[in-house]
Amino acid sequence: MIVNRMRNIHILITDNVNSFNPFNRVICSELSEKYKLNFSISIEEFWNCEADKYDSIHLQWPEYLVKKNSQEDLLLLEKRLQVFKENHVPIIITYHNSLPHLWSPVMGRKLYSIVYNMCDVVVHLAEYSLGNYEFNLYHNVRQVVIPHPCYLLSEKKDSKKEARLKLGIPLDKNMYLVSGSIRSQLEGKHVISAFDKLDTVNNFLAIPAWEAKIDYQKPLRSPLNAISYGLMKANQVFSLNKRFGSRKISDEDMNAYLSAADVLVVSRVGLNSGVFYLGLA
């Protein structure tokens, strides 16, 4: 990467700065220090900034830009991207998912079709997705591979004993950690049923952020909320060897959980996750 250090380059990353996933915070911190680049992480800036304020717009999860998966909101997004294009601002996107997790396939494809048709560069996190057939539809898009980075949440690491004492986790059990969220009833069922097949007396399962996106204050708002909430509460109430949470956790707490764990569990039904790289942190 060649950077002109005489010029103050400013890049907008479209994500929530307080996101449960530290992916963008880690990348921006490292690149800012190494290349003296300026980053803003914000969804609001995408919609409200002057069109020529940033040298480039880097989209992450496009679904976060849209409040409702409606045709009207997709049209607004397309118009906003067109404004950046008209002002010659390069639009980059990182390919995280083939479709949004919580959208219908029809609306998800419409969203991604709009976004990828507007982009100048697609960043792939591995060679695997580079060959996906759908990118043949976007003739003017440059595709590059930048391998998924390992997370560096903190240079200070607790010992396993220190971390478990801090978290209140038994010292004498093998700890299985699901560091990512449980996104569906099926994922939760798979993880719990697999763990329950183990010798549960000597093992401990921790899912500190079962589903940070589900509103557990209103568990019956949707079937997904009700089922996920019921699974979480029932297993926690009737088990002494499981701990579930429903909140976003800090980087400090995540460091402690990673230090305390013996096994890191990837909960995805379809393997599409940065959890593996988090385990290498």
Side-chain angles (χ1 to χ4, degrees):
M1 182 176 184
I2 300 174
V3 177
N4 182 354
R5 295 181 182 274
M6 300 298 292
R7 187 164 175 269
N8 193 23
I9 295 177
H10 202 170
I11 301 168
L12 175 63
I13 306 291
T14 60
D15 192 13
N16 184 341
V17 70
N18 297 315
S19 171
F20 170 68
N21 188 338
F23 178 84
N24 286 309
R25 297 195 299 275
V26 171
I27 290 177
C28 291
S29 175
E30 291 290 318
L31 292 179
S32 295
E33 183 175 340
K34 187 171 184 179
Y35 295 109
K36 309 305 179 187
L37 299 172
N38 297 298
F39 290 93
S40 294
I41 302 177
S42 175
I43 291 174
E44 289 74 18
E45 272 287 282
F46 173 84
W47 290 105
N48 299 324
C49 71
E50 294 294 329
D52 59 353
K53 178 178 178 179
Y54 294 96
D55 293 284
S56 68
I57 307 295
H58 195 143
L59 308 177
Q60 296 294 333
W61 293 270
E63 54 268 33
Y64 292 174
L65 295 171
V66 183
K67 292 183 178 180
K68 300 177 182 178
N69 53 354
S70 66
Q71 192 64 46
E72 291 77 13
D73 279 4
L74 294 185
L75 181 60
L76 289 174
L77 176 60
E78 185 174 18
K79 289 181 177 178
R80 182 58 176 163
L81 290 169
Q82 186 61 45
V83 171
F84 289 118
K85 297 286 286 185
E86 290 171 354
N87 282 269
H88 307 290
V89 179
I91 300 175
I92 304 165
I93 185 168
T94 294
Y95 181 79
H96 290 283
N97 305 315
S98 57
L99 286 174
H101 292 298
L102 302 179
W103 285 43
S104 71
V106 172
M107 293 302 291
R109 289 190 185 94
K110 286 184 179 180
L111 168 66
Y112 278 21
S113 177
I114 289 171
V115 171
Y116 281 103
N117 273 307
M118 288 288 189
C119 284
D120 300 288
V121 179
V122 177
V123 175
H124 297 266
L125 298 175
E127 294 281 349
Y128 177 79
S129 63
L130 190 62
N132 283 7
Y133 74 92
E134 65 259 32
F135 290 106
N136 296 330
L137 303 175
Y138 312 117
H139 303 292
N140 298 320
V141 177
R142 180 186 176 191
Q143 300 184 58
V144 299
V145 176
I146 302 178
H148 196 302
C150 291
Y151 291 95
L152 181 61
L153 301 182
S154 173
E155 295 183 0
K156 181 182 180 301
K157 299 290 185 182
D158 294 323
S159 68
K160 183 176 292 188
K161 182 177 180 180
E162 290 172 336
R164 292 197 180 192
L165 289 173
K166 181 185 294 184
L167 297 170
I169 292 172
L171 298 177
D172 60 343
K173 293 181 182 287
N174 295 316
M175 177 183 163
Y176 292 76
L177 171 66
V178 178
S179 61
S181 59
I182 299 293
R183 291 176 176 153
S184 69
Q185 177 194 4
L186 185 59
E187 286 187 356
K189 181 179 179 180
H190 281 336
V191 171
I192 293 171
S193 61
F195 179 78
D196 285 343
K197 288 181 172 62
L198 300 173
D199 175 9
T200 54
V201 174
N202 297 313
N203 295 296
F204 188 91
L205 174 66
I207 312 179
W210 175 284
E211 180 47 275
K213 297 174 185 173
I214 290 179
D215 183 2
Y216 285 100
Q217 301 304 315
K218 299 177 180 178
L220 301 181
R221 174 172 287 182
S222 72
L224 174 62
N225 278 18
I227 294 170
S228 295
Y229 181 84
L231 276 171
M232 183 190 76
K233 296 305 290 185
N235 275 277
Q236 188 164 352
V237 168
F238 297 109
S239 176
L240 298 177
N241 63 341
K242 299 186 183 80
R243 174 186 296 177
F244 303 152
S246 59
R247 64 182 180 88
K248 296 178 181 179
I249 62 175
S250 66
D251 291 350
E252 180 182 356
D253 284 346
M254 180 55 71
N255 265 321
Y257 274 106
L258 289 168
S259 296
D262 296 295
V263 179
L264 188 63
V265 179
V266 179
S267 61
R268 301 292 169 253
V269 174
L271 186 56
N272 177 16
S273 177
V275 172
F276 172 80
Y277 298 95
L278 186 62
L280 300 176

